[in-house]
Short mmCIF file of all heavy atoms in Angstrom, two decimals:
data_model
loop_
_atom_site.label_atom_id
_atom_site.label_comp_id
_atom_site.label_asym_id
_atom_site.label_seq_id
_atom_site.Cartn_x
_atom_site.Cartn_y
_atom_site.Cartn_z
N ASP A 199 1.71 16.21 -4.04
CA ASP A 199 2.15 17.49 -4.58
C ASP A 199 2.59 18.50 -3.52
O ASP A 199 2.98 19.62 -3.86
CB ASP A 199 1.04 18.09 -5.44
CG ASP A 199 -0.25 18.34 -4.67
OD1 ASP A 199 -0.30 18.01 -3.46
OD2 ASP A 199 -1.20 18.86 -5.28
N TYR A 200 2.54 18.10 -2.27
CA TYR A 200 2.87 19.05 -1.20
C TYR A 200 3.32 18.25 0.00
O TYR A 200 2.72 17.24 0.35
CB TYR A 200 1.61 19.86 -0.89
CG TYR A 200 1.71 20.89 0.20
CD1 TYR A 200 2.71 21.86 0.21
CD2 TYR A 200 0.75 20.93 1.22
CE1 TYR A 200 2.77 22.83 1.20
CE2 TYR A 200 0.81 21.89 2.21
CZ TYR A 200 1.81 22.84 2.21
OH TYR A 200 1.86 23.80 3.19
N ILE A 202 5.08 18.43 4.08
CA ILE A 202 5.26 19.26 5.28
C ILE A 202 6.08 18.48 6.30
O ILE A 202 5.92 17.26 6.45
CB ILE A 202 3.89 19.61 5.93
CG1 ILE A 202 2.93 20.22 4.91
CG2 ILE A 202 4.10 20.58 7.10
CD1 ILE A 202 1.53 20.46 5.47
N TYR A 204 6.75 18.35 10.37
CA TYR A 204 6.21 18.76 11.66
C TYR A 204 7.13 18.31 12.78
O TYR A 204 7.81 17.28 12.68
CB TYR A 204 4.84 18.12 11.91
CG TYR A 204 3.72 18.65 11.07
CD1 TYR A 204 3.33 18.00 9.90
CD2 TYR A 204 3.02 19.79 11.44
CE1 TYR A 204 2.29 18.48 9.12
CE2 TYR A 204 1.97 20.27 10.68
CZ TYR A 204 1.61 19.60 9.52
OH TYR A 204 0.58 20.08 8.76
N GLN A 206 6.88 17.40 16.91
CA GLN A 206 5.93 17.13 17.98
C GLN A 206 6.67 16.89 19.28
O GLN A 206 7.44 15.93 19.40
CB GLN A 206 5.02 15.95 17.65
CG GLN A 206 3.90 15.75 18.67
CD GLN A 206 2.93 14.65 18.30
OE1 GLN A 206 3.28 13.70 17.61
NE2 GLN A 206 1.68 14.76 18.74
N GLY A 209 3.29 15.43 24.56
CA GLY A 209 2.05 15.98 25.11
C GLY A 209 1.48 17.15 24.32
O GLY A 209 0.50 17.77 24.75
N LYS A 210 2.07 17.44 23.18
CA LYS A 210 1.59 18.58 22.38
C LYS A 210 1.17 18.13 20.99
O LYS A 210 1.50 17.03 20.54
CB LYS A 210 2.68 19.64 22.28
CG LYS A 210 3.06 20.27 23.61
CD LYS A 210 4.06 21.39 23.40
CE LYS A 210 4.42 22.04 24.71
NZ LYS A 210 5.42 23.15 24.52
N GLY A 211 0.48 19.01 20.30
CA GLY A 211 0.12 18.74 18.92
C GLY A 211 1.28 19.00 17.98
O GLY A 211 2.25 19.68 18.35
N PRO A 212 1.23 18.47 16.78
CA PRO A 212 2.29 18.73 15.79
C PRO A 212 2.42 20.23 15.52
O PRO A 212 1.43 20.96 15.48
CB PRO A 212 1.80 17.98 14.55
CG PRO A 212 0.90 16.92 15.07
CD PRO A 212 0.22 17.53 16.26
N PHE A 214 4.08 22.94 12.83
CA PHE A 214 4.63 23.12 11.48
C PHE A 214 6.07 23.63 11.55
O PHE A 214 6.39 24.52 12.33
CB PHE A 214 3.76 24.14 10.75
CG PHE A 214 4.27 24.55 9.40
CD1 PHE A 214 3.86 23.90 8.26
CD2 PHE A 214 5.15 25.62 9.28
CE1 PHE A 214 4.31 24.30 7.01
CE2 PHE A 214 5.60 26.03 8.04
CZ PHE A 214 5.18 25.37 6.90
N ASP A 217 7.48 23.64 4.76
CA ASP A 217 6.77 22.89 3.73
C ASP A 217 7.47 23.08 2.38
O ASP A 217 8.32 23.96 2.21
CB ASP A 217 5.31 23.31 3.65
CG ASP A 217 5.10 24.80 3.35
OD1 ASP A 217 6.11 25.55 3.24
OD2 ASP A 217 3.93 25.23 3.28
N ARG A 219 6.46 22.46 -2.01
CA ARG A 219 5.60 21.94 -3.06
C ARG A 219 6.41 21.08 -4.01
O ARG A 219 7.63 21.21 -4.10
CB ARG A 219 4.94 23.08 -3.81
CG ARG A 219 3.97 23.88 -2.98
CD ARG A 219 2.96 24.56 -3.86
NE ARG A 219 2.18 25.55 -3.15
CZ ARG A 219 1.11 26.13 -3.66
NH1 ARG A 219 0.71 25.84 -4.88
NH2 ARG A 219 0.43 27.01 -2.96
N PHE A 257 7.93 14.48 12.09
CA PHE A 257 7.13 13.75 11.12
C PHE A 257 7.19 14.46 9.77
O PHE A 257 7.12 15.68 9.72
CB PHE A 257 5.65 13.74 11.52
CG PHE A 257 5.33 13.05 12.80
CD1 PHE A 257 5.26 13.76 13.99
CD2 PHE A 257 5.06 11.69 12.82
CE1 PHE A 257 4.94 13.13 15.18
CE2 PHE A 257 4.73 11.06 14.00
CZ PHE A 257 4.67 11.78 15.18
N ARG A 261 0.73 15.38 0.98
CA ARG A 261 -0.64 15.70 0.58
C ARG A 261 -0.95 14.89 -0.67
O ARG A 261 -0.32 15.05 -1.71
CB ARG A 261 -0.78 17.18 0.28
CG ARG A 261 -2.18 17.62 -0.13
CD ARG A 261 -2.15 19.08 -0.50
NE ARG A 261 -3.45 19.66 -0.76
CZ ARG A 261 -4.05 19.68 -1.95
NH1 ARG A 261 -3.46 19.16 -3.00
NH2 ARG A 261 -5.23 20.22 -2.09
N ALA A 263 -3.98 13.21 -3.39
CA ALA A 263 -5.04 13.78 -4.24
C ALA A 263 -6.16 14.35 -3.39
O ALA A 263 -6.56 13.75 -2.39
CB ALA A 263 -5.58 12.70 -5.16
N GLY A 264 -6.67 15.47 -3.81
CA GLY A 264 -7.66 16.14 -2.98
C GLY A 264 -6.95 16.87 -1.87
O GLY A 264 -5.94 17.54 -2.10
N ASN A 265 -7.40 16.73 -0.70
CA ASN A 265 -6.80 17.43 0.44
C ASN A 265 -6.65 16.46 1.61
O ASN A 265 -7.14 16.69 2.70
CB ASN A 265 -7.66 18.63 0.82
CG ASN A 265 -6.88 19.65 1.64
OD1 ASN A 265 -5.66 19.75 1.53
ND2 ASN A 265 -7.58 20.39 2.46
N GLN A 266 -5.95 15.36 1.35
CA GLN A 266 -5.68 14.37 2.39
C GLN A 266 -4.20 14.39 2.72
O GLN A 266 -3.37 14.42 1.84
CB GLN A 266 -6.02 12.96 1.90
CG GLN A 266 -7.46 12.76 1.49
CD GLN A 266 -7.76 11.30 1.25
OE1 GLN A 266 -7.47 10.44 2.08
NE2 GLN A 266 -8.33 11.01 0.10
N PHE A 267 -3.90 14.36 3.99
CA PHE A 267 -2.52 14.41 4.44
C PHE A 267 -2.17 13.12 5.18
O PHE A 267 -2.90 12.70 6.06
CB PHE A 267 -2.31 15.61 5.36
CG PHE A 267 -2.32 16.92 4.62
CD1 PHE A 267 -3.52 17.55 4.33
CD2 PHE A 267 -1.14 17.50 4.19
CE1 PHE A 267 -3.54 18.74 3.63
CE2 PHE A 267 -1.15 18.71 3.50
CZ PHE A 267 -2.35 19.32 3.21
N TYR A 268 -1.06 12.54 4.80
CA TYR A 268 -0.62 11.30 5.41
C TYR A 268 0.75 11.48 6.03
O TYR A 268 1.67 11.98 5.40
CB TYR A 268 -0.67 10.15 4.39
CG TYR A 268 -2.10 9.79 4.11
CD1 TYR A 268 -2.81 10.47 3.15
CD2 TYR A 268 -2.74 8.84 4.88
CE1 TYR A 268 -4.15 10.19 2.93
CE2 TYR A 268 -4.08 8.55 4.67
CZ TYR A 268 -4.78 9.23 3.70
OH TYR A 268 -6.10 8.96 3.50
N PHE A 269 0.85 11.06 7.29
CA PHE A 269 2.05 11.26 8.08
C PHE A 269 2.90 10.01 8.11
O PHE A 269 2.41 8.89 8.08
CB PHE A 269 1.67 11.59 9.52
CG PHE A 269 1.20 13.00 9.74
CD1 PHE A 269 0.03 13.46 9.16
CD2 PHE A 269 1.93 13.87 10.54
CE1 PHE A 269 -0.40 14.76 9.36
CE2 PHE A 269 1.51 15.17 10.75
CZ PHE A 269 0.34 15.62 10.17
N GLY A 270 4.21 10.21 8.23
CA GLY A 270 5.11 9.12 8.49
C GLY A 270 5.08 8.74 9.96
O GLY A 270 4.38 9.34 10.77
N THR A 271 5.87 7.73 10.29
CA THR A 271 5.86 7.20 11.66
C THR A 271 6.67 8.04 12.63
O THR A 271 6.54 7.90 13.83
CB THR A 271 6.38 5.76 11.69
OG1 THR A 271 7.64 5.71 11.04
CG2 THR A 271 5.42 4.83 10.97
N TYR B 1450 -9.80 26.18 5.97
CA TYR B 1450 -9.71 24.73 5.87
C TYR B 1450 -9.55 24.15 7.27
O TYR B 1450 -8.75 24.65 8.06
CB TYR B 1450 -8.52 24.32 5.00
CG TYR B 1450 -8.72 24.64 3.55
CD1 TYR B 1450 -8.50 25.93 3.06
CD2 TYR B 1450 -9.15 23.66 2.65
CE1 TYR B 1450 -8.71 26.23 1.73
CE2 TYR B 1450 -9.36 23.97 1.31
CZ TYR B 1450 -9.14 25.25 0.87
OH TYR B 1450 -9.34 25.55 -0.45
N TYR B 1452 -9.42 20.45 9.74
CA TYR B 1452 -9.03 19.04 9.69
C TYR B 1452 -9.21 18.40 11.06
O TYR B 1452 -9.06 19.06 12.09
CB TYR B 1452 -7.54 18.92 9.31
CG TYR B 1452 -7.15 19.64 8.05
CD1 TYR B 1452 -6.81 20.99 8.08
CD2 TYR B 1452 -7.11 18.99 6.82
CE1 TYR B 1452 -6.45 21.68 6.92
CE2 TYR B 1452 -6.75 19.66 5.67
CZ TYR B 1452 -6.42 21.00 5.72
OH TYR B 1452 -6.05 21.66 4.58
N TYR B 1454 -7.51 14.91 12.93
CA TYR B 1454 -6.55 13.81 12.89
C TYR B 1454 -6.66 13.05 14.21
O TYR B 1454 -7.14 13.59 15.20
CB TYR B 1454 -5.11 14.33 12.77
CG TYR B 1454 -4.78 15.09 11.52
CD1 TYR B 1454 -5.02 16.45 11.41
CD2 TYR B 1454 -4.19 14.43 10.44
CE1 TYR B 1454 -4.69 17.16 10.26
CE2 TYR B 1454 -3.86 15.13 9.27
CZ TYR B 1454 -4.11 16.49 9.20
OH TYR B 1454 -3.77 17.17 8.06
N GLN B 1456 -4.27 10.28 16.80
CA GLN B 1456 -2.97 9.64 17.04
C GLN B 1456 -3.15 8.65 18.18
O GLN B 1456 -3.33 9.05 19.34
CB GLN B 1456 -1.91 10.68 17.38
CG GLN B 1456 -0.52 10.12 17.50
CD GLN B 1456 0.53 11.20 17.73
OE1 GLN B 1456 0.26 12.23 18.32
NE2 GLN B 1456 1.74 10.95 17.25
N GLN B 1460 1.83 5.85 18.09
CA GLN B 1460 1.74 5.63 16.65
C GLN B 1460 1.74 6.95 15.89
O GLN B 1460 1.82 8.03 16.47
CB GLN B 1460 0.49 4.80 16.32
CG GLN B 1460 0.51 3.42 16.95
CD GLN B 1460 -0.63 2.55 16.49
OE1 GLN B 1460 -1.20 2.75 15.43
NE2 GLN B 1460 -0.98 1.55 17.31
N LYS B 1461 1.67 6.86 14.58
CA LYS B 1461 1.73 8.07 13.78
C LYS B 1461 0.39 8.79 13.77
O LYS B 1461 -0.65 8.24 14.12
CB LYS B 1461 2.16 7.73 12.36
CG LYS B 1461 1.20 6.83 11.60
CD LYS B 1461 1.75 6.48 10.24
CE LYS B 1461 0.82 5.56 9.49
NZ LYS B 1461 1.36 5.17 8.17
N VAL B 1462 0.46 10.03 13.38
CA VAL B 1462 -0.74 10.84 13.22
C VAL B 1462 -1.49 10.35 11.98
O VAL B 1462 -0.90 10.16 10.91
CB VAL B 1462 -0.36 12.33 13.06
CG1 VAL B 1462 -1.59 13.17 12.79
CG2 VAL B 1462 0.38 12.82 14.29
N GLU B 1463 -2.81 10.16 12.13
CA GLU B 1463 -3.62 9.64 11.03
C GLU B 1463 -4.67 10.67 10.62
O GLU B 1463 -5.39 11.20 11.45
CB GLU B 1463 -4.34 8.35 11.45
CG GLU B 1463 -3.41 7.22 11.82
CD GLU B 1463 -4.19 6.02 12.33
OE1 GLU B 1463 -4.76 6.11 13.45
OE2 GLU B 1463 -4.24 5.00 11.63
N PHE B 1464 -4.75 10.89 9.34
CA PHE B 1464 -5.74 11.82 8.79
C PHE B 1464 -7.14 11.21 8.92
O PHE B 1464 -7.36 10.04 8.62
CB PHE B 1464 -5.41 12.08 7.32
CG PHE B 1464 -6.46 12.83 6.55
CD1 PHE B 1464 -6.56 14.20 6.63
CD2 PHE B 1464 -7.35 12.14 5.74
CE1 PHE B 1464 -7.53 14.89 5.91
CE2 PHE B 1464 -8.32 12.81 5.01
CZ PHE B 1464 -8.41 14.19 5.10
N SER B 1467 -10.97 16.31 6.05
CA SER B 1467 -10.76 17.73 5.79
C SER B 1467 -12.10 18.35 5.43
O SER B 1467 -12.98 17.69 4.87
CB SER B 1467 -9.72 17.96 4.70
OG SER B 1467 -10.10 17.32 3.49
N SER B 1474 -14.34 17.77 2.35
CA SER B 1474 -13.65 17.73 1.07
C SER B 1474 -12.95 16.39 0.86
O SER B 1474 -12.91 15.89 -0.25
CB SER B 1474 -12.67 18.89 0.93
OG SER B 1474 -11.82 19.00 2.05
N GLU B 1475 -12.42 15.83 1.93
CA GLU B 1475 -11.79 14.52 1.84
C GLU B 1475 -11.98 13.79 3.16
O GLU B 1475 -12.05 14.42 4.21
CB GLU B 1475 -10.28 14.63 1.57
CG GLU B 1475 -9.91 15.23 0.25
CD GLU B 1475 -10.17 14.32 -0.93
OE1 GLU B 1475 -10.30 13.10 -0.73
OE2 GLU B 1475 -10.28 14.85 -2.06
N LYS B 1476 -12.03 12.49 3.11
CA LYS B 1476 -12.05 11.69 4.33
C LYS B 1476 -11.28 10.40 4.10
O LYS B 1476 -11.21 9.91 2.98
CB LYS B 1476 -13.48 11.40 4.79
CG LYS B 1476 -14.30 10.65 3.78
CD LYS B 1476 -15.72 10.47 4.31
CE LYS B 1476 -16.57 9.70 3.28
NZ LYS B 1476 -17.96 9.50 3.77
N SER B 1477 -10.72 9.89 5.18
CA SER B 1477 -9.97 8.65 5.07
C SER B 1477 -10.90 7.47 5.34
O SER B 1477 -12.06 7.65 5.74
CB SER B 1477 -8.82 8.65 6.08
OG SER B 1477 -9.32 8.50 7.40
N MET B 1508 -5.56 10.22 20.82
CA MET B 1508 -5.50 11.68 20.90
C MET B 1508 -6.10 12.19 19.60
O MET B 1508 -5.71 11.74 18.51
CB MET B 1508 -4.04 12.11 21.03
CG MET B 1508 -3.86 13.52 21.48
SD MET B 1508 -4.21 13.65 23.25
CE MET B 1508 -3.40 15.21 23.58
N PHE B 1510 -6.65 15.43 17.21
CA PHE B 1510 -6.16 16.77 16.94
C PHE B 1510 -7.02 17.45 15.88
O PHE B 1510 -7.33 16.86 14.85
CB PHE B 1510 -4.71 16.75 16.43
CG PHE B 1510 -3.71 16.30 17.44
CD1 PHE B 1510 -3.13 15.04 17.36
CD2 PHE B 1510 -3.33 17.15 18.48
CE1 PHE B 1510 -2.19 14.63 18.29
CE2 PHE B 1510 -2.38 16.74 19.41
CZ PHE B 1510 -1.82 15.48 19.32
N ASP B 1517 -5.37 25.39 1.31
CA ASP B 1517 -5.04 23.97 1.38
C ASP B 1517 -3.53 23.74 1.25
O ASP B 1517 -2.99 22.83 1.86
CB ASP B 1517 -5.82 23.16 0.35
CG ASP B 1517 -5.79 23.77 -1.04
OD1 ASP B 1517 -5.22 24.87 -1.21
OD2 ASP B 1517 -6.33 23.15 -1.97
N TYR B 1518 -2.82 24.56 0.47
CA TYR B 1518 -1.37 24.44 0.39
C TYR B 1518 -0.75 25.43 1.37
O TYR B 1518 -0.08 26.38 0.97
CB TYR B 1518 -0.87 24.76 -1.02
CG TYR B 1518 -1.23 23.74 -2.06
CD1 TYR B 1518 -2.39 23.87 -2.81
CD2 TYR B 1518 -0.39 22.66 -2.31
CE1 TYR B 1518 -2.70 22.93 -3.78
CE2 TYR B 1518 -0.70 21.73 -3.29
CZ TYR B 1518 -1.85 21.87 -4.01
OH TYR B 1518 -2.16 20.96 -4.97
N ASN B 1519 -0.98 25.18 2.60
CA ASN B 1519 -0.59 26.19 3.59
C ASN B 1519 -0.38 25.53 4.94
O ASN B 1519 -0.92 24.46 5.21
CB ASN B 1519 -1.70 27.24 3.66
CG ASN B 1519 -1.22 28.58 4.14
OD1 ASN B 1519 -1.88 29.22 4.93
ND2 ASN B 1519 -0.07 29.01 3.69
N GLU B 1520 0.38 26.21 5.75
CA GLU B 1520 0.67 25.72 7.09
C GLU B 1520 -0.60 25.39 7.86
O GLU B 1520 -1.53 26.19 7.93
CB GLU B 1520 1.45 26.79 7.85
CG GLU B 1520 1.73 26.47 9.29
CD GLU B 1520 2.53 27.56 9.97
OE1 GLU B 1520 2.92 28.52 9.28
OE2 GLU B 1520 2.74 27.46 11.18
N GLN B 1521 -0.62 24.18 8.42
CA GLN B 1521 -1.73 23.79 9.28
C GLN B 1521 -1.33 24.04 10.72
O GLN B 1521 -0.26 23.63 11.16
CB GLN B 1521 -2.06 22.31 9.09
CG GLN B 1521 -2.67 22.00 7.74
CD GLN B 1521 -3.08 20.55 7.60
OE1 GLN B 1521 -3.38 19.86 8.57
NE2 GLN B 1521 -3.09 20.06 6.37
N PHE B 1523 -2.13 23.21 14.50
CA PHE B 1523 -2.77 22.16 15.28
C PHE B 1523 -3.16 22.66 16.67
O PHE B 1523 -2.46 23.46 17.28
CB PHE B 1523 -1.82 20.97 15.44
CG PHE B 1523 -1.79 20.06 14.24
CD1 PHE B 1523 -1.15 20.45 13.08
CD2 PHE B 1523 -2.36 18.80 14.29
CE1 PHE B 1523 -1.11 19.62 11.97
CE2 PHE B 1523 -2.32 17.95 13.19
CZ PHE B 1523 -1.70 18.36 12.03
N GLY B 1524 -4.28 22.13 17.14
CA GLY B 1524 -4.65 22.37 18.52
C GLY B 1524 -3.88 21.43 19.45
O GLY B 1524 -3.14 20.56 18.99
N PRO B 1525 -4.08 21.58 20.74
CA PRO B 1525 -3.34 20.77 21.72
C PRO B 1525 -3.86 19.34 21.83
O PRO B 1525 -3.22 18.49 22.44
CB PRO B 1525 -3.55 21.51 23.03
CG PRO B 1525 -4.86 22.23 22.83
CD PRO B 1525 -4.92 22.59 21.39
#
Side-chain angles (χ1 to χ4, degrees):
Chain A
D199 60 358
Y200 179 52
I202 308 174
Y204 289 96
Q206 187 176 28
K210 296 185 179 180
F214 174 93
D217 59 358
R219 294 204 192 190
F257 297 93
R261 181 184 187 270
N265 200 27
Q266 300 190 51
F267 288 84
Y268 288 86
F269 283 65
T271 52
Chain B
Y1450 290 81
Y1452 307 85
Y1454 297 86
Q1456 186 176 30
Q1460 298 187 24
K1461 63 184 179 182
V1462 176
E1463 298 176 290
F1464 170 81
S1467 58
S1474 50
E1475 295 288 340
K1476 59 183 180 180
S1477 72
M1508 196 75 162
F1510 293 106
D1517 48 356
Y1518 290 93
N1519 205 222
E1520 175 179 356
Q1521 291 183 27
F1523 279 73

